[in-house]
Amino acid sequence: MATIQPIARRPAHPLHALLLAFPVALFSSALLSDITYLKSAEVQWSNFASWMITGALVFGAPVLLWAALSLFRDRRDTSRTRSLVYFLLVLVMWIAGLINAFKHSQDAWSSVGSAGLLLSIVSTLAALAAGWILHSGGRIDR
């Protein structure tokens, strides 16, 4: 009887995983702060979200660079689809976060509203999906 050998799962580089943890946590917290602001109209929640988005962008920039370099390094690999999807998710996360940071720099009510909330949702979902792909098996970063 033939047995199938499982593919060896190589974990993500620890520094890459640690850097990605910040955008996941900070974008998620910013989304919760936006929702709380819309429910309470307390301006400080919008300020919290703005700072958390900024922090997520600071830690997300090296993650984006790391993903781009990994994608460039795997350009000749036939199974680079995973790296490409990961890079695109991190890119969407960072661009949506950057636009959201500009949106949150407006006055309180107009900073969150429907556009700010939508951008927070997009950046949070992209960060969570990128984290899922990074930790679900197979190595993206080398």
Side-chain angles (χ1 to χ4, degrees):
M1 175 178 240
T3 59
I4 298 174
Q5 295 294 328
I7 297 172
R9 182 172 185 250
R10 296 175 295 183
H13 191 279
L15 181 60
H16 188 169
L18 180 67
L19 289 172
L20 182 61
F22 283 94
V24 169
L26 291 171
F27 278 134
S28 301
S29 298
L31 175 61
L32 293 176
S33 293
D34 284 346
I35 293 169
T36 305
Y37 173 70
L38 289 174
K39 298 285 185 186
S40 69
E42 180 65 40
V43 178
Q44 194 60 32
W45 288 109
S46 178
N47 295 337
F48 288 157
S50 180
W51 281 105
M52 286 186 262
I53 291 166
T54 302
L57 289 172
V58 167
F59 284 99
V63 173
L64 181 60
L65 180 63
W66 200 312
L69 291 175
S70 295
L71 181 64
F72 179 73
R73 205 171 332 161
D74 292 342
R75 70 185 180 278
R76 291 190 179 100
D77 192 2
T78 57
S79 62
R80 73 179 208 151
T81 306
R82 182 181 177 82
S83 296
L84 179 63
V85 170
Y86 176 74
F87 171 74
L88 291 175
L89 281 170
V90 173
L91 183 65
V92 166
M93 171 197 78
W94 204 85
I95 289 174
L98 182 65
I99 296 169
N100 201 10
F102 290 139
K103 184 70 179 157
H104 274 75
S105 68
Q106 296 175 346
D107 285 339
W109 186 256
S110 63
S111 70
V112 178
S114 58
L117 184 64
L118 181 64
L119 288 166
S120 289
I121 290 169
V122 168
S123 57
T124 299
L125 290 178
L128 290 170
W132 184 276
I133 287 176
L134 183 67
H135 294 293
S136 66
R139 191 165 184 144
I140 291 173
D141 53 353
R142 292 181 187 174

